[in-house]
Amino acid sequence: MNNSELAETLAGQTGTTKADARKAVDLVFAAIADAAAKGEEVSLNGFGKFKVKDVPAREGRNPANGETIKIAASRKLTFTVAKAVKDKLNG
């Protein structure tokens, strides 16, 4: 499912237009991204948590020539699924 399909499902279930549903979907994802950029955790009850994790700098290898390279430290967004969703997935 992509953003458009999600918006279409939302529009069908709420009786709003597809354009309004698409705006709502885009706003939700923008709010999650903004919170993550600030380092905040986003917790959606019954669905899961989005957390920002720091990845330390490390050494890696260039696969083309085997040369050692330095990989800079970065931050990544992780998602931990809620128990309710896990239970739904596993029967």
Side-chain angles (χ1 to χ4, degrees):
M1 178 178 277
N2 61 30
N3 290 9
S4 296
E5 293 168 341
L6 184 59
E8 191 172 320
T9 300
L10 181 64
Q13 297 209 1
T14 61
T16 60
T17 66
K18 288 181 186 177
D20 287 342
R22 180 61 192 241
K23 286 179 190 174
V25 168
D26 290 343
L27 286 171
V28 168
F29 289 127
I32 292 171
D34 289 344
K38 294 176 190 171
E40 297 174 1
E41 180 180 292
V42 178
S43 179
L44 305 171
N45 286 342
F47 187 68
K49 290 182 186 178
F50 292 94
K51 294 180 186 177
V52 177
K53 291 193 176 181
D54 293 320
V55 179
R58 61 194 188 279
E59 286 188 355
R61 296 220 179 257
N62 181 336
N65 58 21
E67 182 180 313
T68 301
I69 58 172
K70 291 186 178 186
I71 301 171
S74 63
R75 295 174 7 158
K76 67 178 184 177
L77 186 63
T78 62
F79 179 74
T80 304
V81 68
K83 184 179 182 321
V85 176
K86 274 187 199 177
D87 291 346
K88 194 171 194 173
L89 291 173
N90 295 309

